[in-house]
């Protein structure tokens, strides 16, 4: 049982302000992923939660207790580092047992706990080896093993998969999700990879420039991004952003003239915009279809992935436009095609990059 | 990868190495040759490089000429070993503090340590003499150990600090998160990983201690039984003659322990001295 609350966390290194008023309430047994571009402050925030770094101001509350100045062990956290941070001179057994040795645990209890961790992580036959004799994935598991023997309340992971190759990363993603279910623990996971965030998280925190852009479930972030930043960060290939101008307000939403000449009535609540406002219309590549009218897109590069065909091109005024079409879509490089767009699938962002609320709400259970 | 050298370049490199080695090793060779000659050959004119009466007699005779020779050699080793051990006791925590902790005047004090190294012991002999006299340490082993330690600590700190800095910080952070204290982390994580560095520093300190004994021994110690080898070699200078061949033999035997250490630890020394030169 562990909830984790961050209250108005600020952090500066000298004059550089790295984190701005971070407020988060993480629930018991939740798997929360911090995602954002490199340098946005993810690791710093995680290290503040761990107690490796002190916040300039703000509070860390675990299970209702203010632990802002407590030692990591007393906070009940454990951490897995990006570099694994295994002790190269100790065996796998001793690496996993390290936190228990520090606690001076009884040998029988210690052996039992290490054996259990090793079993969960399929390391039972590797206990006598040194980290140098293991593969990347096995080292990763040893690092996780060391974090679970202490039965912490909150697990912290800093980009644990970024040193692994793509195939192994996929496997480890599944293993970590499974581990989360088995341990029934609260986990905070840092990554810059939106795929990891989308696949593993119960809820995602999108960080940008030291600020929380949005905190929500993967589907909320996908269907209802709060800002242009979140919209373009979540989803592969990236969302298209087409400049446009509001021509008219109707009860069904604003009528937007897109760059390149297409006009659509988009069902959003135009509270912060008015006729004449410059907006950007977000269209996901997977939300368009080949058709006879709609956006006119000239295709520069075509990638056939088998299941899907990704096209890279531009619309009339030169704005880049990506589309994800069916695997055998009848298109060729150098061709100009019409792509139809369902206005209800579009996102509209005002000049500040904030979203105009969508009237229809796909993917959200009311 | 660097380009391979051409044949001509290789020849040049080997030529330079040869010149360098001759320059370094010639004194040792001459010492060895001298130790093999009967004494009267040394003064023969013209100088004769090769002769047919080479012998190892000096190596047995030297123990008779200077009966305490064995004691002197042991003293040398004892003093150098004590200096090394005591120096390491101070250097390890200090180097760790300089490598990892933040404290006021950190870089200033480090610079002062380096500054101390600029003074040779000779400049400070008189003040040191007074200090040792006040402490009542003159004419004891301590008279040769204490100044030795003092002069070697700065070098040791500088060498070991740069080595400890290369141990990834995340290892210590991991230990900290798992509840380990600084001392536990130092003992269980940092020092085991720093063994090559410790060996390098230990050997450097030992050699330094071996080399600097002479000055401290002849100034701070009058007790014959406590003298190290470099001071003991003076006894080969008799009233009438100097038995050069025996002195050279004794010097070679005395240098032997250092040479043996070098041979065994050479691998670590090369790795340790170049480590840190490039960022991995
Ligand atoms: N110890 C530090 N001293 C000074 N600046 C730091 C320190 N640690 C991190 N930073 C700065 O804080 C910002 C956020 O870093 P970090 O949290 O590591 O980002 P992320 O993990 O999201 O890539 C970066 O601009 C980085 O340069
Ligand atoms: Mg980071």
């Amino acid at each position: 049982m562990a909830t984790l609350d961050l209250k108005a966390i600020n952090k500066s290194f000298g004059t550089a302000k790295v984190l701005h008023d971070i407020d988060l309430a993480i629930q018991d047994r939740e798997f929360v992923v911090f995602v954002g571009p490199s340098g946005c402050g993810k690791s710093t925030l995680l290290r503040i939660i761990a107690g490796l770094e002190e916040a300039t101001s703000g509070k860390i509350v675990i299970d209702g207790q203010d632990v802002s100045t407590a030692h990591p062990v007393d906070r009940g956290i454990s951490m897995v580092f990006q570099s694994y941070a295994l002790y190269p001179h100790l065996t796998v057994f001793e690496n996993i047992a390290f936190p228990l040795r520090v606690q001076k645990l009884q040998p029988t209890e210690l052996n039992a706990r290490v054996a259990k961790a090793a079993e969960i992580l399929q390391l039972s036959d590797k206990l006598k080896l040194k980290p140098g004799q293991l593969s990347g994935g096995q080292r990763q598991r040893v690092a996780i093993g060391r974090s679970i023997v202490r039965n912490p309340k909150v697990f912290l992971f800093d980009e644990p998969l970024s040193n692994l190759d793509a195939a192994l990363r996929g496997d480890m993603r599944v293993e970590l999700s499974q581990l989360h279910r088995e341990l029934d623990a609260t986990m905070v996971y840092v990554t810059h990879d939106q795929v990891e965030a989308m696949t593993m998280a119960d809820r995602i925190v999108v960080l940008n420039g030291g600020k929380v852009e949005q905190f929500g479930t993967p589907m909320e972030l996908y269907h209802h991004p709060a800002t242009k930043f979140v919209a373009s960060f979540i989803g592969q290939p990236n969302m298209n952003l087409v400049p446009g101008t509001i021509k008219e307000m109707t009860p069904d939403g604003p009528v937007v003239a897109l760059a390149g000449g297409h006009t659509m009535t988009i069902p959003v609540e135009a509270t912060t915009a008015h006729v004449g406002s410059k907006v950007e219309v977000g269209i996901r590549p997977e939300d368009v279809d080949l058709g006879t009218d709609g956006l006119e897109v000239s295709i520069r590069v075509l990638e056939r992935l088998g299941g899907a065909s990704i096209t890279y091109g531009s619309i009339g005024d030169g704005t880049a436009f990506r589309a994800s079409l069916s695997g055998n879509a009848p298109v060729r490089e150098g061709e100009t095609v019409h792509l139809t767009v369902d206005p209800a699938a579009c996102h509209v962002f005002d000049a500040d990059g904030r979203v105009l609320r969508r009237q229809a709400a796909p993917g959200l259970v009311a | 990868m660097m380009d391979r050298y051409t044949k001509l370049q290789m020849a040049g490199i080997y030529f330079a190495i040869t010149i360098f080695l001759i320059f370094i090793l010639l004194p040792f060779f001459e010492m060895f040759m001298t130790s093999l000659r009967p004494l009267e050959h040394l003064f023969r004119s013209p100088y004769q490089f090769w002769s047919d009466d080479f012998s190892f007699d000096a190596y047995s005779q030297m123990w008779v000429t200077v009966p305490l020779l064995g004691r002197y050699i042991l003293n040398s080793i004892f003093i150098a070993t004590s200096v090394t051990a005591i120096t390491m006791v101070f250097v390890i925590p200090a180097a760790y503090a300089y490598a990892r902790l933040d404290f006021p005047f950190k870089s200033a004090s480090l610079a002062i340590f380096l500054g101390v190294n600029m003074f040779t012991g000779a400049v400070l002999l008189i003040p040191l003499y007074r200090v040792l006299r006040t402490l009542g340490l003159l004419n004891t082993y301590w008279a040769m150990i204490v100044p030795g330690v003092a002069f070697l600590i700065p070098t040791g700190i500088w060498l070991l600090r740069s080595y400890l800095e290369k141990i990834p910080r995340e290892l210590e952070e991991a230990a900290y998160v798992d509840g380990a204290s600084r001392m536990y982390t130092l003992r269980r994580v940092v020092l085991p990983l720093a063994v090559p560095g410790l060996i390098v520093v230990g050997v450097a300190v030992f050699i330094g201690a071996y080399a600097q004994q002479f000055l401290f021994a002849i100034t701070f110690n009058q007790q014959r039984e406590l003298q190290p080898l470099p001071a003991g070699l003076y006894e080969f200078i008799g009233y009438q003659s100097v038995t050069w061949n025996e002195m050279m033999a004794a010097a070679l035997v005395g240098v032997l322990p250092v040479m043996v250490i070098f041979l065994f630890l050479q691998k670590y020394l090369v790795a340790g001295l170049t480590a840190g030169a490039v960022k991995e």
Side-chain angles (χ1 to χ4, degrees), chain A residues 11-58:
Chain A
K11 176 69 184 175
S12 305
F13 289 110
T15 54
K17 189 140 199 224
V18 174
L19 294 176
H20 305 261
D21 278 321
I22 308 283
D23 271 297
L24 291 174
I26 294 169
Q27 288 159 18
D28 182 36
R29 294 172 197 185
E30 207 172 10
F31 195 123
V32 170
V33 174
F34 295 173
V35 70
S38 174
C40 69
K42 307 177 296 287
S43 295
T44 305
L45 186 56
L46 198 72
R47 290 166 59 86
I48 289 174
I49 299 172
L52 283 168
E53 207 88 62
E54 211 177 318
T56 311
S57 68

Side-chain angles (χ1 to χ4, degrees), chain A residues 47 71 73 83 86-87 89 102, chain B residues 170-171 173 175-176 179 188 192:
Chain A
R47 290 166 59 86
H71 187 280
V73 172
S83 65
L86 299 181
Y87 309 119
H89 58 297
V102 173
Chain B
E170 282 198 346
L171 290 185
E173 289 182 343
Y176 174 73
R188 282 267 290 172

Side-chain angles (χ1 to χ4, degrees), chain A residues 42-43 82 158-159 190:
Chain A
K42 307 177 296 287
S43 295
Q82 178 170 1
D158 192 356
E159 310 221 12
V190 162

